[in-house]
Amino acid sequence: MTAVVVGETRETATARALRFSASGLRPALAGQHIDIRLTAEDGYTAQRSYSLSSAAGADPIEVTVERFEDGEVSPYLVDGVAVGDAVEVRGPIGGWLVWRPSDDRRPVQLIAGGSGVAPLMSMLRTREAARSTVPFRLLYGVTDPDRVYYRDELDRIAADGVQVDLRYSRRVPEGSPLHAGRLTRDDLAALVVPPAEDPSVFVCGPTGFVEAVSDALLALGHPEERIRTERFGPTS
Amino acid sequence: MAIFSPGFRGRRRETNPALPPGQYEEHGFPVLTAGPTQRVRTDDWKFTLTTETGDAKSWSWSELMDLGPETIDTNIHCVTSWSKFGTTWRGVSVDKLLDGVETKAGYVMAGSYGGYTTNLPMADLAGGQAWIAFEFDGRPLAAEHGGPARLLVPHLYFWKSAKWVNSLTLMERDKAGFWESLGYNMHGDPWLEERYS
């Protein structure tokens, strides 16, 4: 399926949101991904999977791409492709790390590591578009304040009553009382909807982040069947 | 019809005949799991094979080891489009589990600690094509990669190689496993790009 770039937003120095016309694609669920395939002029192709960051059923659809320095596809999507260009798209795909407004009334805890916030943003946008009143909370771990995606929108969502907590692993904002460091079990105990409220927990981020967070959630008493994860990137 | 991306050249331009269509070579070992990593001790590990008539056979960890592990050198292919070349595993051939089992089943559901399932045709599981693997590159298979033991079916996309595998259920008719019921292909041959349903 051909998809034309119809809009873009520079999220950080290394990340860009790209919006594609979705005509011809099935309406997406919040949390699904698409495959993007690029073809060089000599016919060489490369494809990667990207989570959608747009709301369920949105048109245009949006992906937010982080540039990996030794990447093959992401540098082109972050710095190369322009509005009006076309790429090949397949999807949307996936049905596990998915939230539907009609699912149930269970509170939702989102836990993002870095660019893993993208599919969780899709859930936040879906909640808003559906005017859902299901309680949501977002814990968003990033290396430093310059790496935060969707900053203005998150501020607005927070003002609308979603608890949004940012934590920084390497550098905190100037004047912040927070300390830089990886999320600990104590952080999760303090910043995650407690097991007593029986939340659905969605965790998306780099492999090491998701491993550490999901192990800590289990230790805090969150049942395994309430924890849905998506990991990316290699282990060493 | 191909759409060209002006200015896109790609970096890994080697045309490796071992690379299935739409795949790229990855040197790390990415992890894809839908939930928390299972932590299973080999002392507690138990594997069960159930036929279509309900007959069941079980193996403890030491009984599995007694079946005679072998070394497998192979390439692996993930549906998220990475492939990894030259991986070395130790594992027990599924043929050894099926040895002496009376069955006419055409399909198998692999099941795992944590509830993961994936379905495979018997024709892809028997005949020296699949193993219960417990070592990767000379070391015990790490829990995040499916240790203590995972199914290894390297000629299919890697979601078929169920992590933390603890059962095979033989079936007369094909039935969708976990990812297969969420839009992924019932078979998953990377050379045919059988990614999605």
Side-chain angles (χ1 to χ4, degrees), chain B residues 150-162:
Chain B
R150 76 183 297 164
L151 190 61
L152 176 66
V153 194
H155 71 286
L156 299 178
Y157 283 124
F158 218 44
W159 89 80
K160 298 286 184 180
S161 293

Side-chain angles (χ1 to χ4, degrees), chain A residues 1-3 32-33 35 37-49 68-73 75-76 80 85-88 90 93-97 207 210-211 214-215 218 224 227-236, chain B residues 1-15 21-24 26-39 79-82 113-115 143-145 163-164 178-179 182-184 193-197:
Chain A
M1 184 69 60
T2 304
Q32 285 191 305
H33 71 268
D35 286 356
R37 183 184 291 234
L38 304 178
T39 305
E41 284 170 29
D42 63 357
Y44 174 84
T45 67
Q47 76 174 44
R48 297 291 187 276
S49 299
F68 288 94
E69 287 312 325
D70 64 344
E72 182 177 34
V73 171
Y76 184 79
D85 287 350
V87 298
E88 280 175 80
R90 189 162 181 190
I93 304 140
W96 181 244
L97 193 97
T207 298
V210 174
E211 286 294 309
S214 51
D215 283 351
L218 291 175
E224 191 174 321
I227 306 171
R228 298 194 175 199
T229 67
E230 194 164 282
R231 299 157 166 84
F232 53 79
T235 58
S236 52
Chain B
M1 185 199 67
I3 308 144
F4 297 111
S5 298
F8 173 69
R9 291 193 48 76
R11 282 203 178 184
R12 285 157 253 212
R13 304 189 59 77
E14 75 273 21
T15 48
Q23 298 290 106
Y24 70 95
E26 167 70 54
H27 297 279
F29 193 169
V31 175
L32 285 141
T33 302
T37 291
Q38 301 294 311
R39 314 273 172 194
V79 69
T80 62
S81 75
W82 58 266
Y113 288 102
E144 70 258 33
H145 290 303
K163 292 176 189 172
W164 313 298
F178 175 79
W179 285 119
L182 294 170
Y184 285 79
E193 276 209 89
E194 292 173 337
R195 296 176 195 273
Y196 312 118
S197 57

Side-chain angles (χ1 to χ4, degrees), chain B:
Chain B
M1 185 199 67
I3 308 144
F4 297 111
S5 298
F8 173 69
R9 291 193 48 76
R11 282 203 178 184
R12 285 157 253 212
R13 304 189 59 77
E14 75 273 21
T15 48
N16 188 331
L19 202 56
Q23 298 290 106
Y24 70 95
E25 186 178 357
E26 167 70 54
H27 297 279
F29 193 169
V31 175
L32 285 141
T33 302
T37 291
Q38 301 294 311
R39 314 273 172 194
V40 184
R41 290 154 25 111
T42 53
D43 287 353
D44 302 328
W45 189 88
K46 184 182 168 194
F47 190 92
T48 304
L49 183 140
T50 309
T51 71
E52 69 272 29
T53 58
D55 290 341
K57 265 173 93 171
S58 293
W59 292 265
S60 67
W61 187 260
S62 63
E63 287 166 341
L64 181 80
M65 296 301 127
D66 289 344
L67 294 178
E70 52 196 88
T71 299
I72 309 107
D73 291 307
T74 190
N75 303 334
I76 57 178
H77 311 290
C78 178
V79 69
T80 62
S81 75
W82 58 266
S83 292
K84 188 168 169 61
F85 292 140
T87 61
T88 301
W89 306 76
R90 292 273 294 162
V92 171
S93 172
V94 170
D95 293 332
K96 294 198 169 154
L97 303 178
L98 292 170
D99 193 28
V101 172
E102 291 267 339
T103 180
K104 294 191 174 70
Y107 301 91
V108 181
M109 186 70 79
S112 299
Y113 288 102
Y116 181 77
T117 56
T118 188
N119 55 308
L120 305 102
M122 181 66 97
D124 286 276
L125 211 55
Q129 302 181 87
W131 295 267
I132 308 298
F134 53 86
E135 265 182 40
F136 172 73
D137 281 357
R139 294 164 71 177
L141 184 61
E144 70 258 33
H145 290 303
R150 76 183 297 164
L151 190 61
L152 176 66
V153 194
H155 71 286
L156 299 178
Y157 283 124
F158 218 44
W159 89 80
K160 298 286 184 180
S161 293
K163 292 176 189 172
W164 313 298
V165 70
N166 68 354
S167 69
L168 293 177
T169 303
L170 313 187
M171 311 184 290
E172 286 175 10
R173 273 188 298 255
D174 204 6
K175 205 173 111 182
F178 175 79
W179 285 119
E180 293 82 3
S181 65
L182 294 170
Y184 285 79
N185 195 273
M186 293 292 268
H187 186 224
D189 183 339
W191 296 96
L192 302 174
E193 276 209 89
E194 292 173 337
R195 296 176 195 273
Y196 312 118
S197 57

Side-chain angles (χ1 to χ4, degrees), chain A residues 152-193:
Chain A
D152 295 344
E153 197 172 345
L154 289 176
D155 285 346
R156 189 171 51 69
I157 287 171
D160 282 348
V162 173
Q163 177 76 34
V164 176
D165 296 293
L166 275 82
R167 288 297 180 272
Y168 307 89
S169 60
R170 295 197 197 137
R171 178 169 60 82
V172 301
E174 264 187 57
S176 165
L178 296 170
H179 294 284
R182 294 182 181 279
L183 288 176
T184 64
R185 192 187 298 184
D186 288 346
D187 292 329
L188 292 168
L191 301 172
V192 169
V193 178

